[in-house]
Amino acid sequence: ALGVFTNISYVFQAGAMMGNAVRHYLGARFSRLKVSGDRRATLSVVAMLLVAIGLACALGILFVQGLGDVFLLWVFGPETAQSADLLLIVSIALALRLLTAVPTSLVYAYGGTVGQFWRELFFVVIVVALSQLLIPEQGLIGAGLLLLIVSALRLAADTARVLYVMARAPDRQSE
């Protein structure tokens, strides 16, 4: 079971690395928008990015769901091929993680990194607590649900942080 989860988590980790690359690229772009001081333009870019990434992720999830066992059999072998449900759950968690790259990069661009240590520590506590609750009861599916729940919580927390940061940012265009 651990081998199966490890195989599927490779898909998640590859996507998370891609999300980090997107986040760093967007951080530089958002820094330029910050300098211009146009909140409306910044929020417009955020909305467009969220829609574009969301649509790309939705297509990816449909692709993964459509291939499911065939993909797992081809990439990871017969032991993992029975875990199409877990792959779907992890794919949704990955989509949320990729979406999180947008608000996270915006917060970084606006200098909102002071509380990052505490935020990450909070998520470590959540992961440990949910691991104790979900994995013993639901096994592999519980591990996938853990990734999904934490990814959803991160997206919600980062989106709330963006709203807070943007509300405090000066809008030079209205001056």
Side-chain angles (χ1 to χ4, degrees), residues 63-170:
F63 178 75
V64 165
Q65 186 174 5
L67 286 183
D69 344 357
V70 176
F71 171 78
L72 290 170
L73 180 63
W74 180 64
V75 175
F76 297 115
E79 302 85 28
T80 310
Q82 320 311 317
S83 302
D85 291 341
L86 177 60
L87 179 63
L88 179 61
I89 291 169
V90 169
S91 298
I92 294 168
L94 178 58
L96 294 174
R97 184 69 182 246
L98 288 171
L99 286 169
T100 302
V102 176
T104 302
S105 60
L106 183 64
V107 169
Y108 285 152
Y110 277 79
T113 58
V114 175
Q116 194 66 17
F117 170 78
W118 298 109
R119 178 185 166 278
E120 293 302 321
L121 184 62
F122 169 75
F123 283 113
V124 166
V125 170
I126 293 292
V127 166
V128 169
L130 287 177
S131 294
Q132 298 301 312
L133 293 172
L134 293 175
I135 294 174
E137 291 292 320
Q138 298 181 2
L140 288 178
I141 297 295
L145 289 172
L146 171 68
L147 287 175
L148 180 62
I149 291 167
V150 170
S151 295
L153 288 173
R154 289 179 79 104
L155 179 59
D158 287 345
T159 301
R161 181 78 175 133
V162 161
L163 295 173
Y164 174 74
V165 166
M166 291 306 293
R168 291 186 32 209

Side-chain angles (χ1 to χ4, degrees), residues 2-108:
L2 181 59
V4 169
F5 185 76
T6 301
N7 285 343
I8 292 176
S9 70
Y10 285 144
V11 174
F12 183 83
Q13 290 304 318
M17 286 187 282
M18 188 170 54
N20 287 339
V22 168
R23 183 171 41 88
H24 292 299
Y25 173 78
L26 292 177
R29 295 308 229 171
F30 286 138
S31 292
R32 288 185 189 150
L33 284 171
K34 177 188 176 193
V35 169
S36 76
D38 188 356
R39 263 194 308 201
R40 196 172 337 156
T42 302
L43 292 175
S44 176
V45 169
V46 167
M48 288 187 299
L49 286 168
L50 287 173
V51 168
I53 292 172
L55 288 173
C57 289
L59 288 174
I61 290 169
L62 289 174
F63 178 75
V64 165
Q65 186 174 5
L67 286 183
D69 344 357
V70 176
F71 171 78
L72 290 170
L73 180 63
W74 180 64
V75 175
F76 297 115
E79 302 85 28
T80 310
Q82 320 311 317
S83 302
D85 291 341
L86 177 60
L87 179 63
L88 179 61
I89 291 169
V90 169
S91 298
I92 294 168
L94 178 58
L96 294 174
R97 184 69 182 246
L98 288 171
L99 286 169
T100 302
V102 176
T104 302
S105 60
L106 183 64
V107 169
Y108 285 152

